[in-house]
Amino acid sequence: MKILLLSTGGGGGNILRSIKTLFRQDLAAVQKSDARYAERLRRAVATRFLDTNEFSLADVPVEERLLIGAGKTRHLGARHNPAVAREALEESKRDVASVLDDYTVVVLIGTGGKGTGAGTMVPLAQMARERRKLVIPIFVRPSFEWHEVDKRRYDHALQVLDQFDAAQIRCIEILNDRGYAADHPQPQSVVWERMNLPIARALRGLLYVLSDLSQVDPSDLSALCAGPGRYRVGFAEIDPAAGEEPSDTQIEEASRQCWENSYYSFTKPAGTSLVCIQGDWSNVVDGRIKGRLAAMAAGNAAESTYVPLYARPAHAPRPWGVTTLFAEYTGNHAPLEIAWPLDSRVSLPTRLQSAAPEPVPVVAAAAAAAEPAVPPVPVSAPAPPAPAARTFITFRDLCLGVNRLDAGALAIAGNGASSTIPIDLADLRKLLGTVWFRTVFTHLSQPWRDRMLDVLLQGGPIPNHVVRAGRRTARISELTHEELSPVPLETILPDAVRGDVQLLIAVGTLWGPDAIARFTFAEDPEEHSRRRFSFAGFR
Amino acid sequence: MTVHSITATLAAAARTIDRVDSTYVLWAVLALLIAIALRETEDYVGDRRAVLQLLARFGERFVQEFDRPLVRSLPSERVIDSRLRFNPDRSRVEILLAPREGRAYPNLADHRKNVEYDVARVLRLMKDPPFIPEPMYAQGRWVVVPFQLKVNPGQAGDK
């Protein structure tokens, strides 16, 4: 799983430079406590500066430049004209698309002040959406009151925000006006750092969540990003003394810092939101943090719309803290279709594993493919099998252990024949619907795979739903794996039908297309009842 | 009817008028004048009310749209102070705008071009209302934006 930080235009470039510097500072702090973890974080994030003006990228490394519109602008800029910038993007669409294709998450950064940022933010976000990327646009509404731009350009920035809303693309809206306090003036660099720090620090939390999708379902993340509205990123460091719990004051302060961030526009109640807690303290502290955040997010509303998704890395290296991504509640929206990668994840090892005694140099496959110039990163070899079988009571527990590359779990996964861990059909169906399980599957031995397939086959017949595949309508038993695969993406299906179709697709992907033919199909009960009341019987 | 009989009738009428108390005549004339004055006043007040309504409605919409795009903490929060000053006899309204505490906009000292742009923007959004903007000026903390109604209220679709 890799994140692309893509800036567009001069203003966006400045913000990205700032975020990059802050992220490097964060990495330097992580480096002190866990060098391998820091290296993985470094590899998971890439930066690119898109612009129409070659001169504004003079200080950017050549490999990070993404110049667009050579014909339209001769690389001399968009002349403060968003329409020119849009045409320049259109001209270089293929180049930009090829960059986007390498990443799962695209954080897009631009300002609404002049030409390139204002003209390309929405088209870029739409491009990324079309390519089924998770897009988080960060758009700066400039200040005209403090003479950053004139009112006309400020209004144009508002139009860009309206376009985001119309396109149902949620974004982070930074209000530059809030950076000016007449009663407490600060240098611009200090204000920018305050505005950008939460974004830079939140990256670590976001990376953790994305690299270990066993804690937050991808479908929940897709739901969080769906619909129009605004996000608010929050970050607070909690640094208790060694061996001590954070104090109530520290917890209160951190929760408040995460919730109250006046630089970001956020006017509606909080909806589905992400909370990532990183620190080796007790679950009581976790509970207090969650409770304070929930109290602030719910406010005085009688019916709260706040739905938190919690992620909790075990043994996260310092600096510790809380990362939040709150999303405004703007109604219920269908989850986005995101192409979550199956094999190219950059998983973040826990400190316990990285502290294994004899590290062996290995190159992470995905990272090596994308960045061949980067030297191999040492990853710890699995420790010898530990007598931990008793800790995996259910099959799901075992899979979570395998996903964490737990040595005990890996040992059991390699020897399924003698294991007594039961496989529950409902659990297995849920697991097959998750992205992270596909990586786990590669660690499971053939006896495990056979047992799993047997459980699925013995679970009774699958209703033979009628679905639309391309231009024809067919029963799912009549479709091949290849024909079934696009069905959930191209049609809106009832939950029950979607679940069955996705199960068959997962089986076809993991056990091969022929495995689908081993299922038995029963008449769809809904179809049966529909037919009872139709005139078909009179024909 | 002969000339003689006509003369006799007129003479009889004259004798009857002679007999009517002149006080009644005066009261009747006064009542008539009051009725006419009331009617005129009613028309005047009606017109004035219509003009005032038109001016007030325009002023309120103008302020609302002027305020709408400005940065605020809550959607319901007002970020500018405003007043309306009417002169219905001259079909004129003056919209007074001033920044709230801690804000800088609107003012003519360093935002004249932005205010001019905003006035034109709001008028465009209001789809060419029957008002002509006049040169704006500053009065204390207020920016005064005068408008002259260019047609009568009836033509403007009011009343």
Side-chain angles (χ1 to χ4, degrees):
Chain A
M1 188 81 67
K2 292 180 77 183
I3 296 183
L4 173 66
L5 302 179
L6 174 64
S7 71
T8 170
N14 288 338
I15 298 169
L16 182 52
R17 283 181 188 90
S18 167
I19 291 175
K20 203 174 157 185
T21 307
L22 293 165
F23 185 59
R24 274 188 187 155
Q25 287 169 6
D26 190 32
L27 287 182
V30 175
Q31 181 89 23
K32 285 179 195 162
S33 50
D34 191 333
R36 290 183 194 89
Y37 197 99
E39 180 56 29
R40 286 299 173 102
L41 284 172
R42 195 172 288 122
R43 281 182 168 215
V45 177
T47 48
R48 293 284 184 280
F49 296 76
L50 180 146
D51 213 321
T52 50
N53 177 3
E54 194 169 3
F55 295 97
S56 69
L57 299 181
D59 64 336
V60 173
V62 177
E63 66 276 12
E64 293 186 15
R65 296 178 195 175
L66 187 50
L67 275 161
I68 58 165
K72 184 72 195 169
T73 67
R74 291 185 293 141
H75 291 162
L76 295 174
R79 304 191 297 274
H80 292 194
N81 186 341
V84 171
R86 244 187 324 271
E87 285 172 37
L89 177 63
E90 194 59 40
E91 183 189 323
S92 306
K93 208 169 180 176
R94 195 173 293 173
D95 299 339
V96 177
S98 70
V99 172
L100 295 178
D101 282 342
D102 290 340
Y103 303 89
T104 310
V105 181
V106 180
V107 179
L108 201 55
I109 307 159
T111 66
K114 293 187 283 181
T116 305
T120 58
M121 272 298 279
V122 175
L124 277 170
Q126 282 171 323
M127 255 174 94
R129 268 277 174 88
E130 282 162 14
R131 313 186 98 71
R132 296 167 60 208
K133 310 293 174 190
L134 187 77
V135 192
I136 304 180
I138 300 172
F139 186 71
V140 175
R141 196 202 298 194
S143 169
F144 77 92
E145 286 192 44
W146 294 93
H147 298 280
E148 290 177 354
V149 291
D150 59 22
K151 182 70 172 30
R152 188 169 59 89
R153 294 193 179 281
Y154 169 89
D155 283 343
H156 190 271
L158 290 185
Q159 284 170 25
V160 174
L161 289 161
D162 288 343
Q163 286 167 19
F164 273 122
D165 289 340
Q168 303 266 308
I169 299 175
R170 206 178 270 281
C171 65
I172 294 173
E173 180 188 349
I174 298 182
L175 302 168
N176 268 5
D177 266 299
R178 301 270 168 82
Y180 298 87
D183 51 347
H184 186 56
Q186 294 281 340
Q188 187 64 63
S189 56
V190 174
V191 174
W192 274 344
E193 187 173 319
R194 271 201 213 138
M195 283 177 173
N196 300 333
L197 187 67
I199 298 167
R201 291 290 169 83
L203 281 175
R204 188 147 72 101
L206 190 61
L207 270 172
Y208 172 72
V209 171
L210 293 169
S211 63
D212 188 354
L213 288 168
S214 61
Q215 295 202 17
V216 175
D217 279 351
S219 60
D220 286 338
L221 276 179
S222 307
L224 187 153
C225 300
R230 302 287 173 269
Y231 296 111
R232 182 201 275 157
V233 179
F235 169 78
E237 202 167 304
I238 302 178
D239 192 19
E244 284 184 25
E245 294 270 270
S247 67
D248 284 353
T249 318
Q250 281 178 310
I251 292 169
E252 174 67 29
E253 182 57 31
S255 308
R256 190 164 295 284
Q257 211 174 317
C258 280
W259 175 249
E260 290 173 359
N261 190 332
S262 64
Y263 295 128
Y264 304 143
S265 170
F266 199 88
T267 53
K268 296 185 177 71
T272 305
S273 302
L274 189 62
V275 177
C276 184
I277 300 173
Q278 301 166 74
D280 281 351
W281 46 65
S282 72
N283 56 0
V284 175
V285 174
D286 287 6
R288 286 194 182 132
I289 294 169
K290 291 173 186 174
R292 284 305 301 139
L293 287 172
M296 284 184 265
N300 298 323
E303 279 183 39
S304 174
T305 50
Y306 177 58
V307 182
L309 309 172
Y310 295 118
R312 181 73 169 86
H315 310 296
R318 285 183 187 251
W320 292 339
V322 187
T323 300
T324 52
L325 183 66
F326 295 107
E328 281 182 345
Y329 178 75
T330 54
N332 296 318
H333 310 282
L336 302 173
E337 292 293 347
I338 307 288
W340 300 104
L342 302 181
D343 309 319
S344 58
R345 293 190 309 144
V346 176
S347 53
L348 303 175
T350 66
R351 285 181 75 198
L352 285 183
Q353 288 146 20
S354 63
E358 289 178 336
V360 177
V362 177
V363 181
E371 296 172 35
V374 178
V377 177
V379 177
S380 59
R390 281 193 307 275
T391 58
F392 305 113
I393 297 163
T394 64
F395 183 62
R396 183 183 160 81
D397 288 341
L398 174 69
C399 292
L400 288 171
V402 172
N403 194 45
R404 287 196 305 272
L405 300 179
D406 181 289
L410 286 169
I412 298 169
N415 180 18
S418 59
S419 173
T420 54
I421 297 173
I423 301 178
D424 178 70
L425 175 65
D427 264 0
L428 181 57
R429 284 190 66 142
K430 274 187 200 163
L431 286 168
L432 286 171
T434 64
V435 173
W436 60 271
F437 179 73
R438 308 205 179 166
T439 313
V440 170
F441 189 83
T442 59
H443 294 284
L444 294 170
S445 64
Q446 193 57 44
W448 271 115
R449 296 181 186 187
D450 293 343
R451 273 182 68 191
M452 285 158 57
L453 190 56
D454 285 345
V455 169
L456 290 170
L457 294 171
Q458 286 160 16
I462 293 176
N464 202 1
H465 305 291
V466 176
V467 293
R468 192 147 183 85
R471 289 185 177 178
R472 70 186 178 116
T473 304
R475 294 189 178 281
I476 53 175
S477 61
E478 296 160 1
L479 297 173
T480 63
H481 178 248
E482 200 180 337
E483 289 167 326
L484 270 172
S485 297
V487 169
L489 305 177
E490 291 171 357
T491 30
I492 298 168
L493 300 169
D495 285 347
V497 181
R498 177 175 287 271
D500 290 336
V501 171
Q502 282 177 335
L503 172 70
L504 292 177
I505 294 169
V507 167
T509 306
L510 299 174
W511 280 274
D514 294 342
I516 296 176
R518 293 177 61 187
F519 280 89
T520 51
F521 293 89
E523 190 177 9
D524 182 1
E526 281 191 23
E527 179 65 19
H528 178 70
S529 68
R530 266 198 302 276
R531 251 190 292 160
R532 272 176 59 197
F533 295 104
S534 74
F535 292 104
F538 294 104
R539 280 186 204 143
Chain B
M1 191 175 276
T2 62
V3 173
H4 176 75
S5 65
I6 292 169
T7 311
T9 309
L10 285 174
R15 275 195 303 275
T16 311
I17 290 167
D18 257 0
R19 280 200 301 273
V20 175
D21 190 341
S22 62
T23 312
Y24 291 120
V25 176
L26 281 173
W27 275 113
V29 170
L30 192 62
L32 186 66
L33 287 175
I34 288 171
I36 292 168
L38 277 175
R39 176 68 194 262
E40 284 301 311
T41 310
E42 194 185 339
D43 284 353
Y44 171 73
V45 170
D47 281 353
R48 191 183 159 90
R49 191 183 296 132
V51 172
L52 264 175
Q53 275 177 3
L54 192 65
L55 298 179
R57 209 160 42 227
F58 168 73
E60 281 157 16
R61 273 192 63 202
F62 184 93
V63 172
Q64 205 177 8
E65 184 49 45
F66 194 95
D67 176 88
R68 188 187 54 79
L70 303 177
V71 172
R72 71 202 66 230
S73 304
L74 293 167
S76 56
E77 184 189 345
R78 265 286 170 87
V79 290
I80 55 170
D81 284 330
S82 64
R83 281 185 196 170
L84 300 179
R85 207 153 56 191
F86 303 109
N87 187 343
D89 293 335
R90 292 176 58 200
S91 301
R92 192 178 149 88
V93 59
E94 288 184 335
I95 299 173
L96 286 79
L97 306 165
R100 287 218 163 158
E101 201 179 338
R103 308 293 294 251
Y105 187 78
N107 75 72
L108 293 185
D110 62 340
H111 277 296
R112 177 175 280 277
K113 280 188 81 174
N114 285 334
V115 179
E116 282 170 357
Y117 157 82
D118 244 355
V119 169
R121 175 186 68 83
V122 175
L123 289 178
R124 212 170 36 247
L125 271 173
M126 291 170 79
K127 297 203 171 93
D128 196 22
F131 286 89
I132 302 165
E134 293 183 351
M136 58 182 94
Y137 59 94
Q139 194 174 66
R141 60 186 280 257
W142 300 96
V143 173
V144 184
V145 193
F147 286 96
Q148 177 71 49
L149 185 62
K150 61 185 173 190
V151 290
N152 70 43
Q155 282 177 297
D158 207 77
K159 205 177 173 184

